[in-house]
Amino acid sequence: VVTDAGSTKREIYRAAREGLPQEVHFIGGHPMAGSHQRGFDFARDDLFQGAPYALISDAEIDLSNARRADAMSRLHSLVEAIGGKPVLLTAERHDHAVARISQAPQLLATALALAAASAKDTDAMALAGSGFADMTRLAASHWSVWEDILSTNHDEIGNALKEFEDRLGVISKAMATRDSAVMESMFRAANDFIRRVNEKKALNV
Amino acid sequence: VVTDAGSTKREIYRAAREGLPQEVHFIGGHPMAGSHQRGFDFARDDLFQGAPYALISDAEIDLSNARRADAMSRLHSLVEAIGGKPVLLTAERHDHAVARISQAPQLLATALALAAASAKDTDAMALAGSGFADMTRLAASHWSVWEDILSTNHDEIGNALKEFEDRLGVISKAMATRDSAVMESMFRAANDFIRRVNEKKALNV
């Protein structure tokens, strides 16, 4: 069994299909853990505890091959043994989802830090509280880590940014026209999504 | 001395100027503490510890009136006594800064939650990790709290959203044209801002 821990999956699958012998089972993995910090100094022995861990599975291939199914099952146990929560999905679904929950959010944090860094940032820096710290934590991420991620999931990240820009456009317009009914319904829909995410998390623990 | 703890300051100053007798000193306050949660159940005795606390001061008025200067000094001591870090600035500078570090970020979190809530959100919810939780925590904020804030700082929030949308537009374009030089320089500028914010925080503690 060969696995990896990269942040995008379609490209590595293409490479694995071309480069690896038939009898080697490549099953990609992506632990949704870690931080904007890097290096051995930030190593933690509880890094994977409770964190989702994507395992890339193609139902058709996986089920039709007993050795491959066995490889997947061993990897599944390994992830659970280190405290992670295995999530099985295809490379395509993985890359679609992480563009929305990880990669586009990274770029928003970068854009937000840059907007705050512009003119009159002394007041902003003096007043910034925990909410701003949360929203810009990812802006400390290193380019060396992100260069490959952005390049290998380029299309899905572009789509995710567009979807975000659409939602933000509706909010911007509601602000400009002082349409508080639209704004209220967006707040409520966002509240509802966060509630569902938290309920799901509570069930998984 | 009369003070308040509202999130926007220009409008309350207009009201105070019109409604309060001359001999009453109104000095607005805004603790940059709290969370998206509300109610007595979430009360904490260390809420203000280390948090910036804006005190609205107009240098011309404040310095020309001994009783007003005294009122400000008493409020300053009170904020320090509860562990807050007083930040003196005018209502205009306050409203400009909080639009950028608090109110526009609130709307980004709402937009991001809504974008993630759209189609195929089951995968997104299963994979969401700590980065996504940080970026959407504010999306749980209650409309009842935000309605007045958005209405009374409407112009500055609109400007802040536009500045953010401009930065995001540059990032989106760099993604679309695969211009990694632009992207790298934006990552580095954002890294630099976060480093400065953290250094400033370290100095203030």
Side-chain angles (χ1 to χ4, degrees), chain A residues 28-48:
Chain A
H30 181 200
M32 306 302 291
S35 76
H36 56 281
Q37 292 163 322
R38 60 173 184 178
F40 196 75
D41 287 351
F42 298 105
R44 287 168 39 193
D45 61 4
D46 63 346
L47 180 64
F48 298 111

Side-chain angles (χ1 to χ4, degrees), chain B:
Chain B
V1 191
V2 174
T3 188
D4 77 319
S7 299
T8 66
K9 287 288 163 259
R10 286 171 298 167
E11 192 147 310
I12 191 105
Y13 261 79
R14 273 193 289 272
R17 256 195 303 273
E18 287 162 19
L20 289 175
Q22 271 295 109
E23 63 274 19
V24 173
H25 295 290
F26 176 74
I27 298 178
H30 180 198
M32 307 301 293
S35 76
H36 57 280
Q37 292 163 322
R38 60 174 185 178
F40 196 76
D41 287 349
F42 298 105
R44 288 168 37 192
D45 62 3
D46 63 346
L47 181 63
F48 299 112
Q49 200 58 51
Y53 198 118
L55 290 175
I56 305 309
S57 140
D58 184 318
E60 270 178 63
I61 299 173
D62 294 346
L63 294 174
S64 67
N65 183 315
R67 286 192 52 225
R68 191 171 164 84
D70 178 56
M72 174 59 91
S73 140
R74 280 153 63 196
L75 216 51
H76 199 281
S77 304
L78 182 65
V79 167
E80 287 184 325
I82 58 172
K85 297 181 290 182
V87 178
L88 269 62
L89 71 184
T90 63
E92 287 70 26
R93 278 171 55 195
H94 170 275
D95 286 1
H96 178 87
V98 293
R100 281 144 187 87
I101 54 144
S102 164
Q103 295 153 4
Q106 165 64 49
L107 299 179
L108 305 192
T110 299
L112 182 58
L114 292 175
S118 64
K120 303 196 203 171
D121 66 358
T122 322
D123 290 344
M125 282 165 65
L127 290 176
S130 61
F132 186 73
D134 282 348
M135 294 290 293
T136 52
R137 189 163 292 123
L138 293 174
S141 299
H142 290 270
W143 174 246
S144 60
V145 174
W146 279 88
E147 181 166 13
D148 281 350
I149 298 176
L150 298 184
S151 149
T152 54
N153 205 20
H154 172 262
D155 52 347
E156 287 287 6
I157 298 172
N159 293 338
L161 285 179
K162 260 193 210 80
E163 287 163 25
F164 171 80
E165 286 172 320
D166 285 351
R167 299 299 181 296
L168 190 62
V170 175
I171 287 181
S172 254
K173 199 185 153 199
M175 280 300 295
T177 58
R178 311 195 78 147
D179 187 339
S180 72
V182 163
M183 202 68 102
E184 178 172 4
S185 76
M186 296 189 84
F187 262 70
R188 291 193 188 279
N191 288 173
D192 184 59
F193 177 71
I194 299 301
R195 195 179 39 71
R196 285 193 294 134
V197 172
N198 289 340
E199 279 170 9
K200 200 178 150 48
K201 248 186 246 157
L203 288 174
N204 280 347
V205 165

Side-chain angles (χ1 to χ4, degrees), chain A residues 56-72:
Chain A
I56 305 309
S57 140
D58 184 319
E60 270 178 63
I61 298 172
D62 295 347
L63 294 174
S64 66
N65 182 317
R67 286 191 53 224
R68 191 171 163 85
D70 178 56
M72 174 60 90

Side-chain angles (χ1 to χ4, degrees), chain A residues 30-35 47-54 85 87 97-98 100-103 105 134 137-138 193-194 197-198 200-201 204, chain B residues 112 116 122-137:
Chain A
H30 181 200
M32 306 302 291
S35 76
L47 180 64
F48 298 111
Q49 199 59 50
Y53 198 118
K85 297 182 288 183
V87 179
V98 294
R100 281 142 187 89
I101 54 143
S102 163
Q103 295 154 4
D134 282 348
R137 190 162 293 123
L138 293 174
F193 177 70
I194 299 300
V197 172
N198 289 339
K200 199 177 152 48
K201 249 187 246 157
N204 280 348
Chain B
L112 182 58
T122 322
D123 290 344
M125 282 165 65
L127 290 176
S130 61
F132 186 73
D134 282 348
M135 294 290 293
T136 52
R137 189 163 292 123

